[in-house]
Amino acid sequence: MPKQIHLAAHFPGVNNTTVWSDPASGSHIEFESFRRFAQAAERGKFDFLFLAEGLRLREQGGRIYDLDVMGRPDNVAILQALAAVTEHIGLAGTVNSTFNEPLDVARKLATLDHLSGGRAAWNVVTSWDEFTGENFRRGGYLPKDKRYLRAQEMLSTAQALWDSWDADEVLADAASGRFLRHGDAGRFAIRSDQFDISGRFPVPRSPQGRPVIIQAGDSEEGREFAASSADAIFTRHAELEAGQEFYADVKARLAKFGRRPEDLKILPAATFVLGATESEAAENARQVQYQQVGPATAIAFAEQVWNRDLSDVDPDGPVPSFDPKTDDDVDSGGHISKGRASVRMYRDPVATAREWRELGEREGLSLREVVIRKNGRHTFVGTPQRVADTIDEFVQSDASDGFVLVPHITPGGMDPFVDQVVPLLQEKGSFRTEYEGATLREHLGLRPSPTTVAAVSVEA
């Protein structure tokens, strides 16, 4: 039997992946868009739907970044609503570990797991910038070592809260009048570097016991965190050789934590553009790239490298000949672009600008065309058969366990993949034709959550 492919669908919101100006694009905040998107992914037998979190609107040059103007609605509330209009697909959301508190996070996710019948997942992330921190009482940001410490302690604390209820604690025995088996459920005491809390967790044990844990990160700390604690990891490695290297590295780390390779699913993010022929797909991809990176967006991307106002630069002209500003610290919020993690990729902006200029001069490309070349590449471009073959090759050759697919149109952008590519994967025998389990853990082939005890006390 071939390895089974795991697929997730990411509703990307408004950013430069989403072409919000396309006539086929719908609302990014009305529930109907989320419902349609989720039901399309469920029709395609996807493992889960993923919604990111937005804790602050991003800014550029002191103004709201144009591609964030729809706002950032609460993703867990949307997932809870989607639980009522879906039956099988997992419901995954990012919840930040830096600015949230363990009991509130654990309560929301346990509630989602109850409402969905065991389909909840938590993407555990840290926050890296002071700009986002200004929205919270804590302000500022944590040093990198503390961010991952807090994330690890946040996760272990949430798991302790979920484990504070036994699965059979709720009797609801009308004959005897007993509702709880022991009457001492939910007790916890957590004392660690980041948390000092005690009390009773208010939500009985949910169908999965512990929601599925997802981690996104490529750093050494992120890989270790995923190997020790996550059920799935999102990655940027969507090329075969790089994917194989990442896959082998992370899977090799599991044994020292007493885990098996199948206990962690590796899922790169991927975009796709389809066509009836290879040439049609390539032309479709070119058109999508120019929609994604219009003139204003090209300037915005360039400003993130040059760290200065480039409104007087012609996006269809050459790459600027002058060097970027380099005297503003990204983490502390001094950069022209605030709240965008992508600016951290440009740790040597002068070298990046030189690379862009050389590419433009060598191939006769405008600034906009260079931005497209550097930021607009699609993972899978081709006929449905070519895309299905490539996805299957990645999984069978241990470059990934599947993909998180990101369409450029919402809410209908997943329909072509579901209708044209999924049947071909099913014909190969590497993707399910029906859901076989009830919970997300079962969809992903994960072991059940550990057996619990009635009271939890953790000190670190």
Side-chain angles (χ1 to χ4, degrees), residues 342-392:
S342 59
V343 301
R344 292 181 295 164
M345 299 187 323
Y346 309 125
R347 287 304 188 186
D348 188 347
V350 173
T352 299
R354 185 185 309 117
E355 179 186 347
W356 285 24
R357 277 195 295 269
E358 291 173 352
L359 174 61
E361 292 168 359
R362 184 172 63 251
E363 300 192 23
L365 302 177
S366 68
L367 172 60
R368 182 185 179 190
E369 291 168 330
V370 168
V371 170
I372 289 172
R373 183 74 63 85
K374 289 295 184 180
N375 296 279
R377 183 176 180 275
H378 292 285
T379 313
F380 303 123
V381 177
T383 63
Q385 187 67 60
R386 169 65 66 85
V387 171
D389 290 345
T390 306
I391 289 175
D392 193 54

Side-chain angles (χ1 to χ4, degrees), residues 182-321:
H182 300 107
D184 197 35
R187 188 183 297 279
F188 67 88
I190 311 292
R191 292 179 178 82
S192 64
D193 182 89
Q194 293 289 306
F195 305 110
D196 185 359
I197 58 176
S198 61
R200 290 185 188 272
F201 185 57
V203 184
R205 190 165 178 82
S206 67
Q208 291 187 115
R210 297 177 178 181
V212 168
I213 300 301
I214 303 169
Q215 193 269 341
D218 190 37
S219 66
E220 180 66 21
E221 296 91 341
R223 295 183 188 208
E224 283 290 288
F225 185 23
S228 68
S229 307
D231 300 307
I233 180 172
F234 294 158
T235 85
R236 295 180 290 113
H237 299 286
E239 296 182 355
L240 187 65
E241 184 175 344
Q244 289 173 324
E245 292 175 359
F246 182 87
Y247 190 98
D249 176 77
V250 175
K251 294 279 188 174
R253 297 171 187 248
L254 292 164
K256 66 183 176 183
F257 298 106
R259 307 181 70 200
R260 309 169 303 172
E262 57 266 36
D263 291 336
L264 176 67
K265 307 304 179 188
I266 295 178
L267 304 173
T271 57
F272 61 92
V273 180
L274 304 177
T277 64
E278 296 299 323
S279 60
E280 180 182 294
E283 175 58 23
N284 291 344
R286 189 190 71 82
Q287 293 179 12
V288 170
Q289 289 171 334
Y290 275 84
Q291 286 181 298
Q292 291 172 323
V293 184
T297 301
I299 293 299
F301 268 108
E303 288 180 341
Q304 292 165 23
V305 176
W306 268 260
N307 193 20
R308 66 174 75 212
D309 180 8
L310 298 180
S311 58
D312 59 346
V313 172
D314 181 4
D316 293 316
V319 176
S321 59

Side-chain angles (χ1 to χ4, degrees), residues 9-12 48-56 72-79 90-100 104-105 108-109 112 120-128 132 136 151 154 211-217 225 232 234 404:
H10 178 201
F11 188 107
F48 62 91
L49 162 77
F50 170 64
L51 296 180
E53 177 185 58
L55 297 180
R56 180 166 179 174
R72 312 294 289 274
D74 183 78
N75 58 342
V76 176
I78 295 169
L79 293 171
L91 302 169
T94 299
V95 181
N96 188 287
S97 63
T98 305
F99 302 119
N100 286 293
D104 191 43
V105 172
K108 287 181 178 180
L109 292 169
L112 175 60
W122 173 20
N123 179 35
V124 184
V125 302
T126 65
S127 184
W128 59 275
T132 301
F136 297 87
M154 168 76 87
V212 168
I213 300 301
I214 303 169
Q215 193 269 341
F225 185 23
F234 294 158
V404 180

Side-chain angles (χ1 to χ4, degrees), residues 42-119:
E42 185 168 68
R43 179 166 55 85
K45 315 303 179 187
F46 278 41
D47 292 68
F48 62 91
L49 162 77
F50 170 64
L51 296 180
E53 177 185 58
L55 297 180
R56 180 166 179 174
L57 287 171
R58 295 169 291 191
E59 296 179 10
Q60 188 128 332
R63 298 176 63 86
I64 294 174
Y65 190 55
D66 283 350
L67 298 180
D68 267 2
V69 294
M70 59 51 148
R72 312 294 289 274
D74 183 78
N75 58 342
V76 176
I78 295 169
L79 293 171
Q80 290 172 342
L82 288 174
V85 296
T86 56
E87 296 181 6
H88 304 286
I89 193 166
L91 302 169
T94 299
V95 181
N96 188 287
S97 63
T98 305
F99 302 119
N100 286 293
E101 297 299 324
L103 190 137
D104 191 43
V105 172
R107 181 173 57 87
K108 287 181 178 180
L109 292 169
T111 300
L112 175 60
D113 206 49
H114 276 292
L115 293 176
S116 64
R119 296 184 280 137

